[in-house]
């Protein structure tokens, strides 16, 4: 593996497919991708390892991983791939010290009263002003849709890896020759950082009210998952 530097409005209607919330207008595409995933799961190890020396770890900029968007080489707030970057509660645009319901911007002290992106307002996709990646990048990046995170999860090969002393995954963009490193940065609950070196948890821009969708990487692989919105997770931005 070599190392180098490299320089939307969505439908409000979603279906839950295998614990992944997918926009209705992408559901047919998802079904087609699901068929491909069954085949790709068999081809991934062969494809990645056969030509492993042809893949380059990209450490800066936005990276083509073979899907519909480009992915950042680093976490939001990080300067290099192995850095965790900043942690954000879902729908907040600044990091902080305390990640609890009482400190969460869009609640009134508990999960019982959610003031935005709730069953009351029926909003599920982050507005740009509540998208940390969009705000912190002055609009050049954003948080991924769940369908885009699905592309990264199932359209790429994930290899457990320690890079510069940090545990995480090399993610191979099959057919692109590119690799990004996704650190197991853990998460913040209350004042405490948990599961560093074990889990990577990365927000998408979709919420089902109390929980929001995330990319969950672990020692056995990677999945689409959900997390309580007040918890502090890392963000891996995308751009169109």
């Amino acid at each position: 593996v070599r190392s180098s530097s490299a320089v939307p409005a969505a439908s409000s209607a979603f279906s839950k497919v295998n614990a992944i919330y997918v926009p209705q207008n992408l559901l047919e595409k998802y079904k087609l991708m699901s068929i491909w995933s069954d085949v790709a799961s068999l081809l991934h190890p062969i494809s990645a390892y056969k030509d492993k020396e042809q893949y380059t770890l990209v450490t800066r900029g936005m990276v083509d991983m073979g899907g519909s968007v480009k992915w950042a080489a680093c976490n939001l707030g990080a300067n290099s791939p192995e850095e965790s970057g900043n942690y954000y509660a879902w729908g907040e645009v600044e990091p902080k010290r305390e990640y609890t319901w009482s400190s969460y911007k869009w609640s009134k002290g508990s999960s019982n009263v959610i003031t935005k992106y709730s069953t009351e307002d029926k909003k599920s996709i982050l507005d740009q002003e509540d998208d940390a990646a969009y705000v912190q990048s002055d609009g050049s990046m954003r948080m991924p849709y769940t369908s885009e995170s699905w592309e990264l999860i199932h359209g790429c090969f994930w290899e457990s890896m320690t890079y510069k002393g940090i545990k995480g995954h090399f993610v191979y963009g099959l057919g692109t020759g590119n690799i990004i490193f996704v650190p197991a940065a853990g998460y913040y609950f209350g004042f405490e950082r948990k599961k560093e070196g074990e889990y990577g948890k990365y927000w998408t821009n979709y919420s089902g009210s109390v929980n929001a969708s995330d990319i969950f990487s672990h020692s056995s692989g990677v999945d689409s998952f959900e997390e309580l919105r007040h918890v502090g997770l890392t963000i891996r931005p995308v751009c169109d």
Side-chain angles (χ1 to χ4, degrees):
V1 176
R2 297 167 293 170
S3 179
S4 75
S5 296
V7 185
S11 168
S12 59
F14 276 71
S15 290
K16 192 173 185 180
V17 182
N18 295 333
I20 305 170
Y21 290 92
V22 181
Q24 291 284 8
N25 62 346
L26 293 177
L27 192 54
E28 290 307 312
K29 178 181 177 182
Y30 178 94
K31 289 177 180 177
L32 292 174
M33 288 174 64
S34 182
I35 295 171
W36 157 246
S37 181
D38 291 339
V39 178
S41 64
L42 299 176
L43 296 179
H44 278 183
I46 299 171
S47 300
Y49 283 101
K50 179 181 177 183
D51 301 314
K52 196 172 180 181
E53 68 280 0
Q54 301 301 318
Y55 284 83
T56 299
L57 175 64
V58 184
T59 60
R60 300 177 70 86
M62 305 304 293
V63 188
D64 177 12
M65 297 299 288
S68 60
V69 294
K70 292 184 178 180
W71 290 80
C74 304
N75 288 352
L76 188 62
N79 294 312
S80 59
E82 74 277 8
E83 293 182 3
S84 298
N86 295 326
Y87 294 76
Y88 299 87
W90 190 87
E92 296 186 0
V93 298
E94 298 288 347
K96 56 187 182 180
R97 290 188 64 251
E98 178 186 353
Y99 294 86
T100 61
W101 283 119
S102 61
S103 69
Y104 183 53
K105 180 178 182 179
W106 304 117
S107 78
K108 292 187 176 179
S110 77
S111 61
N112 295 325
V113 183
I114 302 295
T115 59
K116 190 175 182 182
Y117 307 105
S118 67
T119 54
E120 295 293 322
D121 62 20
K122 295 180 169 46
K123 293 172 70 71
S124 57
I125 300 295
L126 284 172
D127 292 331
Q128 289 180 340
E129 61 264 30
D130 301 323
D131 182 326
Y134 186 89
V135 171
Q136 296 297 332
S137 69
D138 293 325
S140 64
M141 300 187 297
R142 59 175 174 81
M143 291 164 61
Y145 293 118
T146 49
S147 56
E148 293 161 351
S149 71
W150 199 91
E151 292 174 353
L152 192 73
I153 292 170
H154 295 285
C156 298
F157 174 64
W158 291 64
E159 178 186 22
S160 184
M161 180 66 60
T162 299
Y163 173 67
K164 293 188 176 181
I166 303 299
K167 292 182 179 180
H169 285 83
F170 273 180
V171 185
Y172 294 75
L174 299 182
T176 69
N178 296 326
I179 302 171
I180 57 174
F181 179 69
V182 177
Y187 59 92
Y188 267 91
F189 192 92
F191 293 93
E192 186 178 354
R193 188 178 184 181
K194 296 178 178 290
K195 300 296 183 180
E196 180 185 7
E198 295 182 49
Y199 297 163
K201 294 179 72 66
Y202 291 82
W203 287 128
T204 72
N205 68 1
Y206 174 79
S207 172
S209 190
V210 175
N211 297 321
S213 176
D214 68 343
I215 300 171
F216 175 39
S217 63
H218 46 88
S219 59
S220 299
V222 60
D223 302 291
S224 182
F225 208 66
E226 294 179 347
E227 186 56 81
L228 294 169
R229 284 166 50 175
H230 75 276
V231 176
L233 303 192
T234 46
I235 293 172
R236 183 57 65 98
V238 300
C239 72
D240 297 299

